[in-house]
Amino acid sequence: MDRVLAVASQRPVVIFALSSCCMCHAVKTLFEQIGTIPEVYEIDRDPCRREIEMALVKLLNRHPAVPLVFIGGKLIGATDTILTLHLSGRLVDLLNDSGALLPLNRSINN
């Protein structure tokens, strides 16, 4: 658990993903198009994959779906949550609050 939380707090946006997951790629691309560069942590490339998956299960109280997004060190959720936040306009607010937006996009969105 400590390792997951440490990784999640290292950058404003952290995505736990699988390297071959198309939805992980789509969510990463969404964040890039909004104006932030997420840290993508590919679970399947880590030798401690099972430990990481178990920590994510504990955080969610269910089997984790990937991608799993943290913003500002806080667990936000999987694809459905990210898309809901994006469509409602609240995702940009979360990114602004965490300092994740690049300066150009920060001035455009304010």
Side-chain angles (χ1 to χ4, degrees):
M1 178 78 72
D2 292 337
R3 184 172 179 195
V4 168
L5 296 175
V7 168
S9 65
Q10 289 176 353
R11 299 277 304 270
V13 178
V14 176
I15 301 172
F16 284 86
L18 297 175
S19 59
S20 61
C21 171
C22 63
M23 291 309 294
C24 297
H25 177 74
V27 167
K28 174 185 174 270
T29 301
L30 171 66
F31 279 103
E32 290 171 348
Q33 289 177 347
I34 289 172
T36 188
I37 300 171
E39 176 73 23
V40 178
Y41 188 91
E42 294 178 341
I43 299 167
D44 54 328
R45 297 185 188 252
D46 190 305
C48 299
R49 174 183 182 166
R50 295 289 173 218
E51 292 171 32
I52 293 168
E53 288 174 343
M54 292 307 298
L56 294 173
V57 166
K58 285 182 183 179
L59 284 171
L60 288 170
N61 292 322
R62 64 178 172 87
H63 193 274
V66 291
L68 199 56
V69 177
F70 288 77
I71 298 176
K74 179 182 174 193
L75 174 61
I76 303 301
T79 305
D80 57 341
T81 303
I82 298 305
L83 292 179
T84 299
L85 288 169
H86 178 59
L87 293 173
S88 71
R90 294 182 298 161
L91 183 58
V92 170
D93 293 337
L94 283 173
L95 295 171
N96 267 327
D97 292 345
S98 72
L101 287 179
L102 300 174
L104 176 64
N105 291 41
R106 194 175 310 219
S107 63
I108 290 171
N109 291 310
N110 285 331

